[in-house]
Amino acid sequence: MSGNRGAMTTIGKGLLGVAAVGAGCLAYAGLYEVNAFRLRRFTVPVLPDGARAIRILHVSDLHMTPAAHARQRWLSTLGALEPDLVINTGDNLAHHGAVPVVLDSFGQLLDRPGVYVWGANDYYPPKFRNPLRYFLGPSRLKRLPERTLPWQDLGRGFKEAGWIDLTHTRASLQIKGVRIGFRGTDDAHIDQDRYADVAGPVDREEIDLAIGITHAPYRRVLDAMTADGHDLIIAGHTHGGQVCVPFYGALVTNCDLDTRRAKGLSQHSADGRTAWLHVSAGVGTSPYAPIRFACPPEATLLTLTSNGEEDSAA
Ligand SMILES: [Fe+2]
């Protein structure tokens, strides 16, 4: 009996230890890492020979609420980077009153050239979801409800600042003498992507650099953009996996992209072509899952350079 009691005591202590470690991780993830913002930097060799470096700030997945003060403060520091271009890949909102907060937080960035697409969380308010569902595959809305978040008000603010809505639209900008062609889609995660609306081979007579922009990096969108000859594809949505395993990485991407490319710079091949792919781990999280582990919130400064040329000034 005493042997059994001893074993039970040891098991009990073990379980208590596991619970204490779990509680510690949760506290770290919710109280520290969720607000441990960082600016990541990558160099992408996609410019024509002789072109000057172009600095792009990629922001995504703010999931902003009026109460997210740390997120607002950090975002408002990014204007000091004075990027040549801002790319915003959606999921800005998580609250009906967040539009002025988002615009205020972007601050000086709204004075820079910018392009954007929307994510489902710009249209629909956040809901509680069982986190284990993410392991069953991408979470999908069965039937799309009415779009009740004030995404159109936010769009008006962006447009007044001169930012370009790329939803199923082509646009072009000349930056530092480089003719950049953009194409974007609506959110593939809710099956609102219609890449066919903007499809077609990149015209190299007109465009020096082709950038495709989409919220959720589903392979069908990446394949189509790559096959058309885009040089660079920019996306968000994955949150980098959000709760990751240290020294291993993401367990989920919440779309059909593999977990190795859940965040950061990688490449995508289709139809014998290869494009650079940058996926942002995002600035925020849903208010119903306010934790991050081994995957800090981020924005990214992409320094585009001539092929093969490293730019140490990034
Ligand atoms: Fe998101």
Side-chain angles (χ1 to χ4, degrees):
M1 285 295 285
S2 65
N4 277 349
R5 223 177 6 248
M8 294 298 283
T9 308
T10 306
I11 291 168
K13 279 182 181 168
L15 287 175
L16 268 178
V18 169
V21 169
C25 286
L26 204 57
Y28 165 85
L31 297 174
Y32 173 73
E33 187 168 318
V34 76
N35 287 327
F37 305 100
R38 63 181 58 181
L39 180 72
R40 297 216 295 165
R41 296 166 190 259
F42 292 102
T43 300
V44 196
V46 286
L47 294 184
D49 284 346
R52 285 179 292 156
I54 293 175
R55 295 160 74 244
I56 297 178
L57 181 68
H58 178 195
V59 288
S60 196
D61 296 83
L62 307 184
H63 294 269
M64 189 62 83
T65 66
H69 298 297
R71 211 174 299 168
Q72 293 155 28
R73 272 196 304 275
W74 184 73
L75 200 55
S76 65
T77 66
L78 298 179
L81 295 168
E82 300 189 341
D84 300 306
L85 174 71
V86 180
I87 296 179
N88 176 354
T89 44
D91 273 10
N92 297 272
L93 304 175
H95 190 281
H96 288 89
V99 169
V101 178
V102 169
L103 293 172
D104 278 356
S105 304
F106 275 123
Q108 292 171 290
L109 289 175
L110 293 173
D111 298 334
R112 318 300 298 180
V115 295
Y116 62 95
V117 290
W118 302 111
N121 288 283
D122 292 302
Y123 306 138
Y124 308 114
K127 276 188 186 156
F128 176 77
R129 291 201 166 87
N130 180 350
L132 296 178
R133 277 183 43 177
Y134 290 100
F135 290 97
L136 302 174
S139 60
R140 309 304 286 259
L141 292 167
K142 284 195 183 75
R143 195 181 309 146
L144 292 178
E146 192 190 342
R147 297 179 175 188
T148 55
L149 282 180
W151 58 284
Q152 287 158 311
D153 295 342
L154 184 60
R156 262 189 290 282
F158 287 160
K159 281 178 189 157
E160 277 168 22
W163 284 14
I164 301 169
D165 182 350
L166 289 174
T167 307
H168 302 139
T169 300
R170 294 186 185 200
S172 58
L173 285 173
Q174 186 152 332
I175 296 178
K176 292 182 169 172
V178 177
R179 299 168 303 171
I180 307 179
F182 300 96
R183 298 181 205 180
T185 75
D186 203 350
D187 189 355
H189 190 59
I190 49 172
D191 293 323
Q192 295 301 291
D193 54 309
R194 299 196 313 268
Y195 181 74
D197 287 7
V198 292
V202 170
D203 182 354
R204 291 290 165 187
E205 297 289 310
E206 303 276 326
I207 298 296
D208 300 315
L209 172 70
I211 303 181
I213 297 174
T214 196
H215 174 68
Y218 277 81
R219 292 198 305 254
R220 62 178 183 269
V221 180
L222 306 185
D223 286 351
M225 288 178 167
T226 302
D228 272 349
H230 283 84
D231 303 291
L232 173 62
I233 303 170
I234 305 280
H237 174 73
T238 63
H239 295 195
Q242 192 166 327
V243 175
C244 296
V245 177
F247 309 110
Y248 174 78
L251 298 172
V252 293
T253 61
N254 199 19
C255 64
D256 64 4
L257 190 70
D258 53 279
T259 51
R260 286 175 297 110
R261 298 187 290 171
K263 70 175 184 182
L265 189 67
S266 62
Q267 290 186 307
H268 188 80
S269 296
D271 256 17
R273 294 177 186 267
T274 299
W276 290 97
L277 169 66
H278 183 259
V279 179
S280 172
V283 178
T285 64
S286 162
Y288 291 106
I291 53 168
R292 278 181 179 267
F293 195 76
C295 185
E298 67 177 27
T300 318
L301 194 64
L302 300 168
T303 300
L304 312 189
T305 63
S306 297
N307 288 320
E309 179 195 321
E310 291 293 320
D311 188 325
S312 57

